[in-house]
């Protein structure tokens, strides 16, 4: 059995041993409730939580007071969207987002339709980027919120965040960005980029699962969110519930490590990603890059391999953990909606593999993975009726398929 | 979701991969599925003068279960008469490969491929215009 190579870091990351070490005392002897104001157990828990707030705020040039702890990016997105829209319901009932957002943004927007809120979904170009002109045209007098992700989880494409932020400031619209994939991987500055709300997840940055954060701007303008969870009034009333102290400490430690190592790590990971693409592109015909390798996340590479199906590919290199936009890998039996919205046809969406590289990958692993992917694609093309027909000069798009 | 040992075996050691001459009057070709649905199977059979299947080949674009279903189908049709092969049911493929519910459509596609190949060779043998069966025409359209 070959050792496993983990290239699915956009799905989740292993906990960094340094983050685990920081968490351990808070799982054991330092078990206090951060809301206990009258004894030392509570004080040390509170101090740890406040330190983590500083660590997370530093990554995005925010103030620690602007960080709200949550259970993860899904909750952060729910508070940012539902909480803001409900708070400002008197000022407007219109939200603008875009089609390649994560479901944790799309579904809250759709849910709000039941409360009379309309959402405009902007389309994207071939690289997965929105157009500023379309955003400008979509704004209405009653638009209260724009929610555009920082970077896409499937294809890595980075949106023009600073431009969107500047535009929203000018038009006095609140700007939320889901930065789950970008936080700690590429520079983010909420001041320079005009971001009002920003969602963070712990487990995408080598921190623990079950913890996240929401940045909520406190000045120029002061943004307010209605609570989604009601209770003891923790986190300035925006998110009740006893704080997950060990998780928060782990997220703080992971954020600090990510910020410190970002300059070198960005370059190292991007180099491995470029090398993987070079191996594939130089040895295989009829493969396509989905997304944007130039202005995208350093570690994300999404490739469609014509004539072979994604799940069967993953079976072929079973010691490499990746994910696919193939329908066979999803519960819905539909191929990736992100790839489809780029204009990638269904066939190539079924043939796509997402490689997401991270901190614990090595150059040697990339060489091995590249070799195995090439060998598997070749083997499966040998048994592909589509490869055979293409080789005979048949235009596959013109065939009358006997679908079922 | 983990794959059954039998699916893995067919995926890793597929039986009867390849192509037969589709213009041979004793060869029937069935091509079913569509690329945009994520699976296309091509199954071919060759019969002797007694209409017994003496050879079978497949090529499949699809997931591991689709590859395994078509590989198994070629094994099962070999040695059968056309009428016997028509009796193969997708549920038997599901049982043999221990396919989970989301993969049942792979077995349905394999059954469809067998039927399409049989229909094609029957058309040829029973005197429809030889060498121009519907299915082969489908495959080379355009």
């Amino acid at each position: 059995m070959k050792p496993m190579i983990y290239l699915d870091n956009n799905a989740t990351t292993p906990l960094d041993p340094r983050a685990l070490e920081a968490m351990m005392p808070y799982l054991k002897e330092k078990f206090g409730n951060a809301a206990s104001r009258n004894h030392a157990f509570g004080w040390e828990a509170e101090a740890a939580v406040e330190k983590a707030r500083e660590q997370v705020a530093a990554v995005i040039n925010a103030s620690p007071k602007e960080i709200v702890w949550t259970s993860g990016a899904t909750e952060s997105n729910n508070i940012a969207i539902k909480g803001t829209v409900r708070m400002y319901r008197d000022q407007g009932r219109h939200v603008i987002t875009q089609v390649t957002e994560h479901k944790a943004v799309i579904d809250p927007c759709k849910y709000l339709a039941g409360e009379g809120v309309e959402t405009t979904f902007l389309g994207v170009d071939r690289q997965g980027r929105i157009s500023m002109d379309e955003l400008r045209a979509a704004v209405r007098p009653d638009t209260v919120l724009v929610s555009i992700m920082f970077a896409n989880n499937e294809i890595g494409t980075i949106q023009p965040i600073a431009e969107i932020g500047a535009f929203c400031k000018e038009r006095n619209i609140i700007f939320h960005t889901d930065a789950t994939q970008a936080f700690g991987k590429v520079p983010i500055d909420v001041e320079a980029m005009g971001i009002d709300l920003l969602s963070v997840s712990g487990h995408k940055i080598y921190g623990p699962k079950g913890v996240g954060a929401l940045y909520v701007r406190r000045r120029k303008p002061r943004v307010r969110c209605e609570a989604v969870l009601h209770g003891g009034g923790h986190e300035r009333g925006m998110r009740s519930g006893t704080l997950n102290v060990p998780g928060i400490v782990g997220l703080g430690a992971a954020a600090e490590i990510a910020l410190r190592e970002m300059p070198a790590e960005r370059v190292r990971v991007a180099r491995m990603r470029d090398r993987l693409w070079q191996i594939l592109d130089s040895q295989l015909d009829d493969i396509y890059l989905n997304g944007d390798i130039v202005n995208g996340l350093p570690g994300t590479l999404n490739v469609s391999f014509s004539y072979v199906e994604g799940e069967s590919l993953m079976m072929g290199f079973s010691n490499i953990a990746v994910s696919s936009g193939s329908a066979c890998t999803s519960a819905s039996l539909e191929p990736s909606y992100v790839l489809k919205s780029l204009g990638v046809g269904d066939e190539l969406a079924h043939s796509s593999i997402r490689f997401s590289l991270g901190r614990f990958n090595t150059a040697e692993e990339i060489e091995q993975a590249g070799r195995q992917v090439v060998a598997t694609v070749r083997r499966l093309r040998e048994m592909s009726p589509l490869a055979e027909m293409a080789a005979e000069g048949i235009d596959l798009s013109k065939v009358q398929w006997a679908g079922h | 979701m983990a794959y059954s040992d039998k699916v893995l075996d067919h995926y890793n050691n597929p039986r009867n991969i390849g192509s037969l001459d589709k213009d041979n009057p004793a060869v029937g070709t069935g091509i079913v599925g569509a690329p945009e649905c994520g699976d296309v199977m091509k199954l071919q059979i060759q019969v002797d003068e007694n209409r017994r299947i003496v050879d079978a080949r497949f090529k499949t674009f699809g997931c591991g279960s689709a590859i395994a279903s078509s590989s198994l189908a070629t094994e099962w049709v070999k040695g059968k008469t056309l009428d016997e092969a028509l009796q193969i049911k997708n549920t038997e493929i599901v049982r043999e490969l221990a396919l989970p519910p989301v993969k049942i459509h792979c077995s349905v596609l394999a059954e469809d491929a067998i039927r399409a190949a049989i229909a094609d060779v029957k058309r040829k043998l029973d005197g429809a215009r030889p060498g121009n069966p519907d299915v082969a025409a489908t495959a080379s359209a355009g």
Side-chain angles (χ1 to χ4, degrees):
Chain A
M1 186 75 187
K2 292 177 188 157
M4 289 295 294
I5 299 176
Y6 188 75
L7 300 180
D8 204 12
N9 288 280
N10 286 12
T12 193
T13 54
L15 187 60
D16 191 297
R18 294 167 289 183
L20 175 62
E21 196 184 337
M23 292 168 70
M24 284 308 282
Y26 299 92
L27 289 160
K28 292 158 76 179
E29 68 272 17
K30 298 185 178 181
F31 59 84
N33 186 330
S36 294
R37 288 283 158 76
N38 40 15
H39 52 66
F41 293 91
W43 299 332
E44 71 184 356
E46 191 190 14
V49 164
E50 294 315 311
K51 181 184 170 196
R53 237 186 265 282
E54 288 171 19
Q55 290 167 316
V56 168
V59 177
I60 56 174
N61 189 28
S63 152
K65 290 178 184 160
E66 298 175 307
I67 303 301
V68 173
W69 301 117
T70 67
S71 62
T74 292
E75 189 187 346
S76 300
N77 288 338
N78 270 267
I79 298 173
I81 295 167
K82 293 182 196 161
T84 310
V85 169
R86 287 171 180 163
M87 179 61 80
Y88 296 95
R89 56 165 62 84
D90 295 339
Q91 292 174 34
R93 313 293 284 154
H94 180 234
V95 176
I96 299 173
T97 183
Q98 57 93 26
V99 290
T100 70
E101 292 291 320
H102 193 273
K103 290 286 183 192
V105 165
I106 291 175
D107 284 2
C109 290
K110 288 186 174 169
Y111 178 83
L112 284 172
E115 298 177 15
V117 177
E118 271 185 70
T119 300
T120 300
F121 290 88
L122 301 176
V124 294
D125 64 17
R126 189 74 206 193
Q127 272 77 45
R129 202 165 281 115
I130 64 158
S131 132
M132 286 304 296
D133 286 341
E134 282 178 29
L135 172 60
R136 281 185 204 103
V139 168
R140 312 190 316 206
D142 64 341
T143 305
V144 284
L145 178 72
V146 168
S147 179
I148 304 287
M149 68 196 333
F150 206 106
N152 183 269
N153 46 307
E154 288 189 34
I155 53 175
T157 298
I158 293 176
Q159 297 289 352
I161 295 297
E163 275 180 82
I164 301 167
F167 172 69
C168 289
K169 283 286 142 305
E170 186 189 304
R171 302 295 291 264
N172 218 6
I173 299 166
I174 296 167
F175 174 37
H176 165 247
T177 186
D178 174 3
T180 303
Q181 296 291 346
F183 181 88
K185 295 180 195 161
V186 293
I188 301 177
D189 184 329
V190 292
E191 292 304 326
M193 294 172 168
I195 298 164
D196 298 318
L197 295 151
L198 179 146
S199 302
V200 173
S201 167
H203 74 102
K204 307 288 193 192
I205 60 158
Y206 312 91
K209 294 171 179 60
V211 63
L214 177 64
Y215 159 78
V216 184
R217 176 174 288 280
R218 270 168 68 97
R219 40 194 295 276
K220 292 191 208 169
R222 178 185 179 85
V223 174
R224 295 161 69 220
C225 296
E226 255 189 42
V228 174
L229 288 181
H230 300 88
H234 309 73
E235 299 298 281
R236 296 190 281 133
M238 273 187 268
R239 202 278 188 175
S240 288
T242 297
L243 292 179
N244 168 9
V245 177
I248 290 165
V249 168
L251 170 51
E256 186 183 309
I257 296 165
L259 179 62
R260 190 171 62 234
E261 300 185 349
M262 190 194 298
E265 192 63 4
R266 270 178 89 189
V267 175
R268 189 187 74 92
V269 171
R271 197 173 286 148
M272 289 193 294
R273 186 255 337 251
D274 293 347
R275 172 63 185 149
L276 182 56
W277 172 244
Q278 187 199 6
I279 295 171
L280 301 175
D281 192 38
S282 63
Q283 298 189 44
L284 294 168
D285 293 328
D286 299 323
I287 71 172
Y288 303 93
L289 183 79
N290 300 315
D292 188 350
I293 206 166
V294 178
N295 189 13
L297 291 173
T300 304
L301 181 68
N302 191 310
V303 183
S304 287
F305 300 90
S306 293
Y307 321 129
V308 293
E309 192 273 338
E311 188 192 324
S312 65
L313 270 174
M314 294 195 290
M315 255 176 109
F317 39 81
S318 55
N319 68 312
I320 307 173
V322 294
S323 62
S324 169
S326 155
C328 290
T329 64
S330 76
S332 66
L333 292 179
E334 281 293 317
S336 157
Y337 67 91
V338 172
L339 295 182
K340 287 175 75 167
S341 59
L342 307 184
V344 172
D346 280 11
E347 182 210 335
L348 285 175
H350 283 294
S351 300
S352 71
I353 297 286
R354 178 188 71 184
F355 304 91
S356 48
L357 285 56
R359 180 177 297 166
F360 298 108
N361 292 125
T362 64
E364 177 47 35
E365 282 182 331
I366 299 308
E367 297 298 319
Q368 276 186 38
R371 279 196 298 274
Q372 286 184 55
V373 173
V374 168
T376 306
V377 171
R378 286 184 177 153
R379 184 174 93 85
L380 290 176
R381 282 183 176 173
E382 285 292 305
M383 66 168 93
S384 167
L386 305 182
E388 182 181 66
M389 291 163 83
E392 286 169 5
I394 296 168
D395 181 349
L396 296 174
S397 66
K398 300 223 170 82
V399 175
Q400 203 76 40
W401 296 102
H404 76 116
Chain B
M1 172 183 57
Y3 302 99
S4 72
D5 290 343
K6 283 183 175 158
V7 168
L8 283 172
D9 180 41
H10 278 280
Y11 174 84
N12 288 316
N13 311 291
R15 324 314 190 237
N16 308 309
I17 284 188
S19 298
L20 301 169
D21 175 9
K22 66 175 188 289
D23 297 325
N24 181 336
V27 168
T29 300
I31 298 180
V32 295
E36 57 269 27
C37 302
D39 30 36
V40 174
M41 285 181 191
K42 184 183 84 163
L43 193 143
Q44 293 182 300
I45 52 174
Q46 180 164 359
V47 294
D48 65 11
E49 58 280 7
N50 301 316
R51 300 195 170 199
R52 191 171 287 279
I53 298 170
V54 292
D55 203 356
R57 291 279 188 273
F58 85 95
K59 285 202 173 192
T60 289
F61 163 81
C63 65
S65 302
I67 290 170
S69 296
S70 37
S71 170
L72 179 66
T74 59
E75 269 194 324
W76 278 0
V77 297
K78 271 201 204 178
K80 288 191 165 68
T81 64
L82 292 180
D83 289 336
E84 287 166 351
L86 273 175
Q87 302 306 311
I88 295 172
K89 293 280 176 295
N90 83 292
T91 49
E92 298 169 276
I93 296 172
V94 169
R95 206 173 312 124
E96 173 68 15
L97 297 175
L99 296 181
V102 306
K103 297 297 185 186
I104 286 174
H105 75 277
C106 298
S107 70
V108 173
L109 206 58
E111 185 188 311
D112 288 351
I114 295 172
R115 289 170 177 274
I118 291 171
D120 182 37
V121 78
K122 277 189 171 172
R123 251 191 313 269
K124 287 182 174 179
L125 295 172
D126 296 339
R129 286 182 299 154
N132 187 23
D134 289 349
V135 182
T138 295
S140 57

